[in-house]
Amino acid sequence: MKLLFCYNPMCVYINLAEWKKGGPLSMISKEKGILKTGIISLLAIVCAGVLYGAGAKSAGAETMTYESTANVNIRTGPSTSYATAGTVAKGAQLNVVGSAANGWYQVKQDGLTGYVSPNYVQVTGLLYTTTSDLNVRTGPSTTYTAFGTVTKGAELSVTGKTNGWYKITHNGRIGYVSGKYVQVTEVLYSAAANLNLRSGPSTASGILATIPKGTELSLAADSLNGWYKVFFNGKVGYISAPYVKKSYIHIVMNPESISVLVNKQNKLPDGYTPPDLVNAPIPFIFSEQSDKRKMRKEAAAAIGQLFGAAKQQGISLLGVSAYRSYDRQVELFTYYVNRDGFEKARTYSALPGTSEHQTGLAIDVTGGNGQCAAQDCFADTKEAVWLKNHAAEYGFIIRYPEGKESITGYKYEPWHVRYVGQTLAKNIARSGLTFEEYMGV
Ligand SMILES: [Zn+2]
């Protein structure tokens, strides 16, 4: 639901669903069309508060980051027919200063100005929030002088990253804050309706294509004057910003921690691989070598002990699937997106980085006859009952308990156990809470 409140000379555009989640408000000036969200968010809060009788937590505007996905040429003009002036390495952050009509980025990189093909650039919208009061220093380490502080919960406008420190502007000065205390949140963009892709940033421009509702949008650039520049089916064009739905997902700050919380709102950093994967010393329902046999060293030892204890008590278990790599999840998710579209695929398949199996701390198991592997019928077996009663003794929790879908994001999965260590597992089991509730998120 969208609301438009006007309070001379400004109007506040509110996407109610997003606003409730703390999402940004859009401001519209009567002369200039829609301004970039967040620029005048303080005023927006005041306006919305006055007009709606409630305060609102307004997210600031996200920072667009441009990263090269390959070693890529910088050319003197916006196509491959221009000469090469230099190269940027794969994974470099590009300093984008503009973009050509065909989508090529104008960059200023190490003193060199030129153009880079959009085929090798990943555009990501990120929000940066401090997790404690932080010193702002004159350089990117604690040896530099602190000249100010930002308070916990502040949103930073980040312009670069060096050695794990973020470059920001503070009271008109360039400063640096430690990345250890900054929560990064990725913004996902999708079409809130069937959307016209236009050749220019106005409704007077021609229609190049229609983007179906629910499509994930591949942004070419941040919104300007109420229009986003996007890529769609090999074309580059413009779409009207109010029809772009944003969703937010935190990038976990402690991916290697045994107690890391990964779910649909908290994802592992792109490409994360656990540091100490080994084959779990247990039988699986398949016989070949596979990544699916792997777990973090500590978790692998623990599942071995759990299986051993079960066997002694007459319970026979088999492994179904443990570790799943980021690349494998990308493959799977892309397959589902191509089949059903982005928004639908998200409802049943984990976005890359949000599967607990990528942590190397989770495993799906089943009974010794191999039937009901990862199926609801496992719930009624004696193996499932034993697992529920004894998993915590070996440091595991039933991660997706019955009736807690609204919290965990998953329906009951009696076969999916997650290693968190014995102390935490026992405390969680005793509390009757989900992992999310116990961790207070
Ligand atoms: Zn699972």
Side-chain angles (χ1 to χ4, degrees):
M1 184 179 175
K2 298 186 185 76
L3 296 172
L4 187 68
F5 295 115
C6 290
Y7 190 76
N8 213 24
M10 307 299 288
C11 293
V12 188
Y13 161 85
I14 299 175
N15 181 332
L16 261 193
E18 198 168 89
W19 186 55
K20 277 185 196 156
K21 282 185 268 170
L25 306 170
S26 297
M27 298 293 291
I28 303 170
S29 86
K30 283 178 177 168
E31 319 87 80
K32 291 182 180 171
I34 303 165
L35 295 174
K36 203 165 116 177
T37 54
I39 286 181
I40 32 183
S41 57
L42 193 65
L43 185 57
I45 293 170
V46 174
C47 279
V50 168
L51 294 161
Y52 204 65
K57 178 185 165 288
S58 171
E62 60 270 28
T63 303
M64 288 294 157
T65 59
Y66 302 83
E67 193 180 298
S68 54
T69 57
N71 294 328
V72 61
N73 290 324
I74 300 180
R75 295 184 181 269
T76 56
S79 86
T80 53
S81 58
Y82 288 89
T84 301
T87 57
V88 273
K90 180 180 176 178
Q93 196 147 319
L94 299 171
N95 179 31
V96 170
V97 293
S99 72
N102 63 1
W104 279 57
Y105 293 107
Q106 190 180 19
V107 299
K108 197 172 175 185
Q109 211 74 8
D110 303 324
L112 192 70
T113 302
Y115 291 85
V116 169
S117 165
N119 296 337
Y120 305 103
V121 178
Q122 166 86 42
V123 185
T124 313
L126 299 173
L127 293 165
Y128 301 86
T129 314
T130 55
T131 58
S132 80
D133 291 350
L134 271 189
N135 285 323
V136 184
R137 296 181 183 273
T138 56
S141 91
T142 52
T143 59
Y144 289 90
T145 315
F147 68 90
T149 54
V150 282
T151 51
K152 181 181 175 178
E155 277 183 8
L156 304 174
S157 178
V158 170
T159 55
K161 192 179 182 185
T162 310
N163 300 329
W165 287 65
Y166 290 112
K167 188 177 174 184
I168 63 167
T169 302
H170 184 71
N171 293 340
R173 275 178 77 179
I174 298 287
Y176 294 83
V177 293
S178 169
K180 273 188 225 158
Y181 307 100
V182 177
Q183 170 69 63
V184 183
T185 302
E186 193 174 319
V187 185
L188 303 175
Y189 306 85
S190 60
N194 292 330
L195 274 185
N196 289 325
L197 181 74
R198 294 184 182 271
S199 59
S202 106
T203 50
S205 302
I207 296 171
L208 301 172
T210 301
I211 302 177
K213 180 181 176 180
T215 303
E216 184 182 24
L217 298 168
S218 174
L219 256 53
D222 200 356
S223 68
L224 190 64
N225 299 325
W227 292 81
Y228 279 104
K229 191 174 182 181
V230 300
F231 297 108
F232 179 70
N233 280 356
K235 297 188 177 82
V236 58
Y238 294 83
I239 55 172
S240 176
Y243 298 101
V244 173
K245 178 186 163 193
K246 292 182 189 181
S247 45
Y248 301 89
I249 184 162
H250 300 307
I251 299 172
V252 302
M253 299 171 73
N254 58 342
E256 293 184 9
S257 166
I258 293 298
S259 60
V260 62
L261 184 110
V262 173
N263 61 17
K264 288 176 178 172
Q265 293 81 38
N266 294 277
K267 69 176 236 181
L268 294 161
D270 283 356
Y272 171 74
T273 305
D276 50 3
L277 291 171
V278 297
N279 281 332
I282 56 167
F284 279 81
I285 57 169
F286 53 88
S287 55
E288 69 272 19
Q289 260 314 313
S290 164
D291 269 0
K292 291 192 284 186
R293 291 179 178 273
K294 291 179 178 166
M295 295 186 85
R296 299 275 303 272
K297 201 173 167 190
E298 188 178 329
I303 199 72
Q305 285 167 9
L306 182 148
F307 270 49
K311 199 172 179 183
Q312 278 184 3
Q313 296 172 41
I315 297 293
S316 166
L317 294 169
L318 288 173
V320 176
S321 185
Y323 174 63
R324 189 182 298 154
S325 73
Y326 179 80
D327 289 346
R328 176 72 187 125
Q329 192 64 31
V330 169
E331 261 174 48
L332 276 174
F333 191 72
T334 306
Y335 169 79
Y336 292 129
V337 168
N338 289 337
R339 195 182 69 183
D340 290 335
F342 174 74
E343 286 294 347
K344 182 150 184 227
R346 279 181 76 185
T347 63
Y348 63 83
S349 175
L351 269 174
T354 69
S355 168
E356 243 199 359
H357 287 275
Q358 198 193 326
T359 64
L361 298 167
I363 181 169
D364 298 334
V365 302
T366 193
N369 61 9
Q371 288 168 9
C372 293
Q375 290 175 50
D376 293 343
C377 58
F378 177 63
D380 301 324
T381 64
K382 65 178 191 296
E383 290 88 353
V385 174
W386 187 91
L387 198 61
K388 197 172 177 179
N389 291 334
H390 297 280
E393 293 161 29
Y394 305 91
F396 289 88
I397 55 171
I398 306 292
R399 179 67 177 86
Y400 307 119
E402 195 166 12
K404 298 294 178 80
E405 184 178 351
S406 64
I407 299 165
T408 64
Y410 289 87
K411 64 179 175 54
Y412 183 33
E413 289 195 3
W415 59 83
H416 178 111
V417 291
R418 157 69 195 274
Y419 184 73
V420 292
Q422 278 187 30
T423 308
L424 189 53
K426 285 175 185 166
N427 287 342
I428 291 172
R430 209 173 293 132
S431 72
L433 299 172
T434 61
F435 193 31
E436 277 82 4
E437 292 166 305
Y438 191 86
M439 300 300 269
V441 295

